[in-house]
Amino acid sequence: MSASTEQATNPPREQFTGQTGFILSAIGSAVGLGNIWRFPGVAYENGGGAFLIPYLVALITAGIPILFLDYAIGHRFRGSAPLALRRLGGRWGRWTESLGWFQVAMSFVIGLYYTAIIGWALSYFVFSFDLKWGDDPEGFLFGDYLEASSEVSITGDIVASVAIPLAIVWIAAIVVLALGVSRGLERANVVIMPLLALTFGAVVVRALFLDGAVDGLNAFFTPDWGALSDPNVWIAAYGQIFFSLSIAFGIMITYASYRRRKANLTGPGLVVAFANSSFELLAGIGVFATLGFFAFQQGIPVAELETISGIGLSFVTFPAILSQMPGGAVVGALFFGTLALAGFTSLLSILQVTSAAVQEKFGLTPRSGALALGTVSAALSFALFSTTSGLWALDTADHWTNNIGVVGSAVIMSVLTVWVLRRGPELLAHLNAVSTVRLGRIWLGLVGVVVPAVLGFMLVRAIVEVATEGYEGYPAGFLLVMGWGVLIALGVITVVATALPWHRNKDEIEPWPPYPAVAAKEEN
């Protein structure tokens, strides 16, 4: 009996019901916590208004090209990241499948701590109604709420106030994933994304009418043209684009595989990319108008404010502002509700990467895959990130996974596709065969040269920095476990998952349209 007959016949692949559902889901994946708390601070610290130039260059030369690469691989080879990359690899499929499992492993790890942050936002949504943080938001966050340990170490002490919202987030995510792509994932995004636009739009409009808002906007948009000569500003722009588009760790490969055979790819991709950037710009306006009010209240320039990005911005600075703002309780509920919604749609896409891969490898249904994945993930998430050391663990795991794991994955995928396997022309032909916006061969140059060069530099610099300087002054033993240890765990998951046998026919596909036919059509 041949291997193929031993494996179960593949069921019909799940699909998005239409283009709108796909676009909203893809935007929901891209628009996440980083758009709100990362972009405004990065832009302000790297040239203000002038930062928009390298930002747009990075979007066009790296962000959109990698997004299209993900779309092409997922749509042509009809599978989750491991399966699609295995089929892309042909006779080298075993090796390319391992890259897919590395991407799945990263999504698995990111999902563990991303749920914790959404749980925090959910808690603060409730806290907003009576401004529970009082006059000391920083003390409330680290002491009363997180009960963060004074020493950076690994503890097993569960914090109930963190664990309860974390459980709610996991239950909601598992229910949505168990319903499948069209009934769960797509419907959730179709409902949440308009709601997200409304709530965040209300926050931004309110911020624009605060005293000092103009000063904040001037600080945000005033260009520092001299910054454009600083290479670090350009690296920051590429980093912002790269980390905000949900690319190179399996999400867009998986999403594209759920589109119909003749679905348009490049047009919707441009909509997703520019919608994500538009939301980031809107976030910058809202955040800096609010910071302008905060500076006005204290009688200082915006430049003297501290903690204007990241977790500190959302859970320390913003609560402090809300305590001084007229109608702060309502605005706070809208702001933290927005954070929770934005984070949840991104979380669904992250978990779908792992769920889809597990379903295909082990022959599971969406429901059994979601339950299996959710149970294991939730248990690990509680053990690591609902404890008194959860904040430190989260911060470290996120830095190593994103700056080394995800960037490394993008470099390898680009080089592998264009230079080793030489499948770039086939993927270009596929995109042009199904899309309304046609791409030229310059796309191959961007994917094969610009992306590896820029991201390769970022990767090397990140590795050298953490190897020589450590991270945030954390103890070396802690970084060894939660930083380098996480990377080792990603490698172990990759090797084990690749070695396990497929329970469904992994080769049951005929890429459409046939490449020679497409090539002939292109030439004519």
Side-chain angles (χ1 to χ4, degrees):
M1 183 178 290
S2 67
S4 60
T5 55
E6 288 175 345
Q7 295 167 332
T9 302
N10 295 336
R13 187 161 192 78
E14 293 186 281
Q15 292 184 343
F16 287 106
T17 59
Q19 187 157 283
T20 301
F22 167 74
I23 290 176
L24 287 175
S25 299
I27 294 174
S29 173
V31 173
L33 303 174
N35 296 68
I36 299 172
W37 75 29
R38 191 174 189 275
F39 171 78
V42 170
Y44 174 70
E45 293 169 352
N46 289 280
F51 180 75
L52 295 179
I53 292 176
Y55 177 83
L56 285 174
V57 170
L59 175 66
I60 294 170
T61 60
I64 292 175
I66 304 178
L67 183 67
F68 287 165
L69 177 63
D70 276 352
Y71 280 2
I73 293 173
H75 192 250
R76 182 162 184 80
F77 297 104
R78 318 295 293 169
S80 62
L83 185 56
L85 286 168
R86 181 186 179 99
R87 290 167 173 168
L88 171 76
R91 64 193 177 97
W92 304 105
R94 190 77 168 181
W95 297 100
T96 52
E97 178 190 337
S98 64
L99 175 60
W101 282 112
F102 184 69
Q103 295 183 350
V104 170
M106 287 190 294
S107 295
F108 176 73
V109 170
I110 293 171
L112 298 183
Y113 62 76
Y114 209 78
T115 44
I117 303 175
I118 300 170
W120 300 358
L122 209 55
S123 296
Y124 270 68
F125 169 76
V126 177
F127 297 159
S128 296
F129 290 100
D130 61 354
L131 303 177
K132 192 172 181 178
W133 46 80
D135 298 327
D136 183 15
E138 185 173 358
F140 177 81
L141 172 67
F142 295 107
D144 298 343
Y145 179 61
L146 296 178
E147 298 180 23
S149 56
S150 56
E151 294 184 359
V152 180
S153 60
I154 299 174
T155 71
D157 301 328
I158 300 291
V159 180
S161 57
V162 176
I164 293 172
L166 181 60
I168 295 173
V169 175
W170 272 114
I171 291 171
I174 291 171
V175 168
V176 173
L177 292 182
L179 290 172
V181 173
S182 59
R183 294 175 58 228
L185 191 66
E186 181 178 340
R187 283 186 184 179
N189 279 285
V190 167
V191 171
I192 292 176
M193 290 312 294
L195 187 60
L196 174 65
L198 285 175
T199 54
F200 196 62
V203 171
V204 173
V205 169
R206 178 68 186 97
L208 290 175
F209 288 94
L210 292 169
D211 293 333
V214 173
D215 294 333
L217 294 178
N218 285 336
F220 180 60
F221 282 112
T222 299
D224 174 11
W225 299 114
L228 297 182
S229 61
D230 183 353
N232 290 322
V233 170
W234 290 83
I235 294 298
Y238 276 89
Q240 178 60 36
I241 285 294
F242 182 73
F243 293 127
S244 69
L245 273 177
S246 295
I247 49 181
F249 61 108
I251 292 177
M252 290 306 159
I253 290 178
T254 306
Y255 271 22
S257 74
Y258 295 132
R259 298 219 63 195
R260 292 171 180 161
R261 280 287 193 187
K262 296 184 179 180
N264 187 6
L265 294 179
T266 56
L270 293 175
V271 172
V272 170
F274 284 103
N276 176 65
S277 294
S278 299
F279 190 91
E280 290 196 318
L281 191 58
L282 186 66
I285 292 172
V287 166
F288 270 84
T290 311
L291 291 175
F293 166 76
F294 195 40
F296 176 81
Q297 292 294 103
Q298 298 184 65
I300 60 174
V302 173
E304 293 186 13
L305 292 176
E306 299 178 350
T307 319
I308 60 171
S309 65
I311 290 173
L313 169 69
S314 297
F315 296 100
V316 176
T317 304
F318 248 86
I321 297 172
L322 294 169
S323 294
Q324 300 179 26
M325 182 188 297
V330 175
V331 177
L334 289 172
F335 175 74
F336 288 111
T338 298
L339 269 188
L341 292 174
F344 188 69
T345 52
S346 297
L347 174 67
L348 292 177
S349 67
I350 293 168
L351 297 180
Q352 184 64 32
V353 172
T354 313
S355 179
V358 170
Q359 288 173 40
E360 291 171 353
K361 186 86 177 189
F362 300 104
L364 303 177
T365 64
R367 177 177 299 180
S368 54
L371 287 174
L373 165 69
T375 303
V376 174
S377 299
L380 288 172
S381 185
F382 276 100
L384 291 172
F385 302 110
S386 69
T387 65
T388 53
S389 61
L391 175 63
W392 319 124
L394 178 158
D395 187 30
T396 308
D398 177 67
H399 187 80
W400 258 258
T401 304
N402 275 297
N403 291 283
I404 298 178
V406 177
V407 176
S409 167
V411 173
I412 293 172
M413 189 168 70
S414 298
V415 172
L416 200 63
T417 302
V418 176
W419 298 109
V420 179
L421 301 174
R422 297 187 178 277
R423 303 292 291 266
E426 178 182 351
L427 296 176
L428 173 62
H430 180 87
L431 288 169
N432 285 337
V434 298
S435 302
T436 52
V437 178
R438 297 170 66 82
L439 307 178
R441 294 187 67 81
I442 189 173
W443 176 73
L444 292 176
L446 294 172
V447 172
V449 178
V450 175
V451 169
V454 175
L455 297 187
F457 176 79
M458 290 171 55
L459 176 64
V460 171
R461 191 172 75 161
I463 293 174
V464 170
E465 278 185 358
V466 294
T468 58
E469 302 173 15
Y471 177 66
E472 296 289 337
Y474 294 170
F478 183 81
L479 297 181
L480 190 63
V481 175
M482 293 308 304
W484 299 110
V486 166
L487 288 184
I488 293 172
L490 295 178
V492 171
I493 294 173
T494 298
V495 171
V496 172
T498 304
L500 293 173
W502 288 85
H503 288 250
R504 286 181 182 164
N505 190 345
K506 57 189 179 299
D507 302 316
E508 188 183 86
I509 185 176
E510 190 67 39
W512 182 92
Y515 174 52
V518 174
K521 182 179 176 182
E522 291 290 310
E523 292 172 358
N524 295 330

